[in-house]
Amino acid sequence: MKTTSILFFSMVFLLFSCGAKHGDQQPNGIDHADIAVKKKKNADSAQASSLEKLAAKMVASRESYLNDGKTEAEEVFIKAFIEALKQPKAFEADFANLKKYEINVLTANDNKLRLFYWLSPYSGTMWHVQNIVQYQGEDNTLTAVLFNSLYEDKNDEGSPTPFFEHIFSLNTSPQKTYLLTGYGQMGGTEPYSVCHTLIINHSKFSINKPLFKLAKASKTQLFASAILKEDQDKEKLMAQLAMIYNPQDKTISYPEVNETKNGSVFSGKRNVLTFRDGMFK
């Protein structure tokens, strides 16, 4: 009888111990998952906070730039922002905390490409806009690049730093082709409009392929500027100079500009190019 009692209580003790161990393991598993999620959230929060601080320093550096001409604050922010845009899940982030520094985002009509842009704090009467392109490939890999770094010819006509208003995906294969339309100003009295094509081939970006056929010349961009006369309304002139793309019939309507001894003048006429066989002509 004594032996039976000892065996009974031993089995109860073993069962209780196993149950306790099993009970201990379950919360630990949940805790580990919880910790991983918290670590990810903390890392994202730290990155967002770091970017916001760098953006604040960039904006605040305008005064020192006017004194010493240094642009390091913006360069540091651009480098950090590009790296952040390459991180997994970055395409799902809206980076809303940067809007207070007037850093905005424009999305292409196929929702595969985004462009973050802001007017550089070092701009004068000639606008200098920073544009960072972020692209999500078919395998969801992310790439990001500073648009201005894509210029091969630094002497290209017009300012390479426009405000882009629209991004359209064109039907090309195997590479992806986007059309970007925008505007800017060469100085306080010379607004302009511009069209660019951005080609993405295996995560490599290029804006230097001549896809605009004008008479016998092939150009890498469409560009039109005009001198603002004293009696002209600037907003009205910019509207007249606008590049207008119609995605239904794949046509670009662009302004005709005449060169005079007093500078470029809008003629009042518009021309049209149609996208066919991989080129606007």
Side-chain angles (χ1 to χ4, degrees):
M1 183 72 177
K2 187 174 182 181
T3 302
T4 304
S5 298
I6 291 171
L7 286 172
F8 174 77
F9 284 115
S10 296
M11 289 182 68
V12 170
F13 178 75
L14 285 170
L15 287 171
F16 178 78
S17 298
C18 289
K21 287 179 181 178
H22 179 73
D24 288 344
Q25 288 172 358
Q26 196 68 18
N28 284 342
I30 295 172
D31 286 345
H32 284 310
D34 233 14
I35 289 169
V37 171
K38 286 177 181 177
K39 281 183 177 179
K40 178 68 170 62
K41 286 183 178 178
N42 289 339
D44 290 345
S45 178
Q47 184 183 67
S49 177
S50 176
L51 281 175
E52 188 171 348
K53 288 177 181 177
L54 291 176
K57 286 182 180 179
M58 174 183 69
V59 172
S61 69
R62 174 169 173 77
E63 188 174 343
S64 61
Y65 165 77
L66 295 174
N67 295 325
D68 56 31
K70 293 182 179 178
T71 60
E72 284 87 346
E74 186 172 59
E75 292 166 9
V76 169
F77 172 74
I78 288 172
K79 185 177 179 180
F81 196 17
I82 287 175
E83 288 306 310
L85 292 172
K86 292 178 181 178
Q87 300 306 308
K89 304 292 185 182
F91 205 81
E92 300 167 12
D94 59 7
F95 296 94
N97 60 319
L98 299 178
K99 289 183 180 179
K100 67 179 75 172
Y101 305 104
E102 298 188 14
I103 298 171
N104 299 297
V105 61
L106 178 65
T107 304
N109 61 339
D110 67 350
N111 294 312
K112 292 291 184 180
L113 182 141
R114 300 195 299 180
L115 186 142
F116 291 85
Y117 64 95
W118 66 94
L119 183 65
S120 172
Y122 316 134
S123 286
T125 56
M126 175 185 279
W127 291 346
H128 186 85
V129 183
Q130 297 290 6
N131 296 293
I132 296 179
V133 176
Q134 181 194 37
Y135 176 68
Q136 182 172 256
E138 296 302 322
D139 57 356
N140 292 325
T141 56
L142 293 177
T143 49
V145 66
L146 182 67
F147 189 90
N148 300 342
S149 70
L150 300 175
Y151 283 85
E152 291 178 1
D153 182 2
K154 298 302 180 184
N155 296 316
D156 200 1
E157 66 172 333
S159 168
T161 57
F163 276 112
F164 288 114
E165 293 182 291
H166 303 286
I167 307 175
F168 300 98
S169 175
L170 302 176
N171 186 21
T172 59
S173 182
Q175 75 279 356
K176 289 282 293 184
T177 304
Y178 290 93
L179 178 73
L180 297 88
T181 62
Y183 66 95
Q185 65 178 37
M186 301 292 291
T189 59
E190 191 176 0
Y192 70 84
S193 63
V194 67
C195 261
H196 272 293
T197 52
L198 172 65
I199 295 175
I200 306 173
N201 194 359
H202 299 295
S203 299
K204 291 184 179 180
F205 298 79
S206 173
I207 60 171
N208 298 295
K209 188 172 181 180
L211 294 182
F212 300 99
K213 185 76 171 177
L214 301 178
K216 295 182 179 180
S218 294
K219 294 182 173 289
T220 60
Q221 66 173 354
L222 277 183
F223 179 86
S225 69
I227 296 295
L228 183 69
K229 298 177 183 178
E230 288 186 9
D231 59 344
Q232 272 187 308
D233 179 84
K234 186 176 179 180
E235 295 298 321
K236 184 178 179 180
L237 178 58
M238 292 186 80
Q240 291 173 332
L241 292 175
M243 305 282 179
I244 302 172
Y245 177 67
N246 185 328
Q248 276 69 47
D249 57 17
K250 298 182 179 181
T251 58
I252 295 175
S253 169
Y254 67 97
E256 184 179 285
V257 175
N258 297 326
E259 296 297 330
T260 72
K261 61 180 181 180
N262 297 319
S264 302
V265 177
F266 173 51
S267 70
K269 299 178 181 179
R270 298 184 68 85
N271 298 314
V272 175
L273 295 177
T274 302
F275 187 72
R276 58 180 185 271
D277 301 324
M279 178 175 279
F280 286 99
K281 49 191 175 181

